[in-house]
Amino acid sequence: MSELVPLLKKGDREAFNELVREYEKQVINIAYGMLSDREDALDAAQEVFVRVYKSIGTFKGQSSLATWIYRITSNICNDMLRKRQRTARTISIYPSDEEEKSPLSELADDRPTPEEALELTERQRAVREGIASLNPDFRAVITLCDIEGLSYEAAAAALSIPHGTVKSRLNRARNALKKKLSEKMELF
C-alpha cells in the first residue's frame, strides 16, 4: 500500500479507488463498532474517504497508511458521537431488517439448526447491545483491538493515545462488557 501514497498525492484516481477497495470494509466495521448504527457507519466511511482524498498531501509517513486511515475514522466517529449527544437522538439497539442481512451479522454457510441460529442471534444481539452501552472510549478500543484485531500499538496510533492507555481501557472495557453480559448468562 505504501507504493500508492505517491500516486495518491498526485491525485491518481485509480490509486484512490484501489485504496477504497482495500480499506472500505475495515473502515465501515470500525465505524459500526464505534457508532452502533449501520447508516451512520456508512456516512462516516464516506466522510473518511473524502477526508483521506483531501488530506493525503499532509500524510508524512510517520505511521502506516492504515494507521492514518484508522485515526481519521476514529476522529470522525468521535465527532459524530459528540454531535449525537448534543442532539440527544434516540437510537435503537435492535438491528433493523437491513442490518440482519448485512455482512456484519451473516451466519456461516454450514447452516445451524433453527435453535442454534436463534441462540447465536441472541448472543450476537447481547454482545452488540453490551458494546453499544459502553462509553465511547471503551467502545473504540474494543472495536479496534478485539473486533478488528489491531495491535495495541496500532490502536494507540489510531486513537492518538498512549499504548498503556489502550491496554488499561481495553481491560476496563472487557470487564464492563463481561459484567453487562453476566446478566444474560443463559445465552453464554
Side-chain angles (χ1 to χ4, degrees):
M1 275 291 129
S2 60
E3 66 275 0
L4 282 181
V5 174
L7 296 172
L8 290 167
K9 286 186 176 191
K10 290 180 184 174
D12 185 314
R13 287 191 187 266
E14 187 50 45
F16 182 72
N17 290 338
E18 187 175 331
L19 175 102
V20 171
R21 281 190 298 274
E22 179 72 24
Y23 291 103
E24 183 177 34
K25 285 183 182 176
Q26 291 123 326
V27 167
I28 290 171
N29 287 341
I30 290 168
Y32 182 75
M34 291 181 71
L35 300 171
S36 300
D37 181 88
R38 182 90 176 133
E39 291 303 315
D40 284 350
L42 294 172
D43 289 346
Q46 185 174 8
E47 179 63 28
V48 166
F49 290 111
V50 167
R51 193 169 297 173
V52 165
Y53 186 79
K54 289 180 177 179
S55 304
I56 192 67
T58 65
F59 178 67
K60 294 177 178 58
Q62 295 171 335
S63 63
S64 72
L65 183 60
T67 299
W68 186 68
I69 292 170
Y70 298 152
R71 182 179 304 132
I72 291 171
T73 304
S74 174
N75 290 342
I76 287 173
C77 289
N78 284 330
D79 289 346
M80 291 177 78
L81 287 169
R82 280 190 288 277
K83 286 178 189 172
R84 190 185 282 174
Q85 286 176 337
R86 282 195 299 264
T87 59
R89 187 175 98 186
T90 304
I91 299 167
S92 174
I93 57 175
Y94 299 101
S96 66
D97 289 339
E98 183 178 307
E99 287 174 343
E100 286 293 336
K101 296 173 187 165
S102 78
L104 297 174
S105 62
E106 285 182 7
L107 299 175
D109 286 340
D110 56 347
R111 308 261 177 199
T113 65
E115 295 82 17
E116 291 170 337
L118 180 60
E119 268 185 44
L120 178 62
T121 300
E122 290 301 316
R123 264 189 248 127
Q124 289 173 333
R125 180 175 289 133
V127 171
R128 239 187 346 257
E129 289 172 5
I131 292 172
S133 70
L134 296 174
N135 81 43
D137 291 337
F138 289 175
R139 204 177 320 159
V141 295
I142 285 255
T143 299
L144 291 174
C145 294
D146 288 345
I147 296 173
E148 288 302 313
L150 267 64
S151 68
Y152 294 147
E153 293 81 14
L159 297 171
S160 300
I161 58 176
H163 174 269
T165 304
V166 169
K167 290 174 78 174
S168 66
R169 281 186 189 171
L170 187 57
N171 184 47
R172 286 185 275 156
R174 287 174 178 161
N175 287 334
L177 185 58
K178 182 179 176 182
K179 184 177 179 184
K180 290 178 187 302
L181 294 177
S182 69
E183 298 165 2
K184 301 178 181 183
M185 275 313 283
E186 72 278 359
L187 295 174
F188 301 93

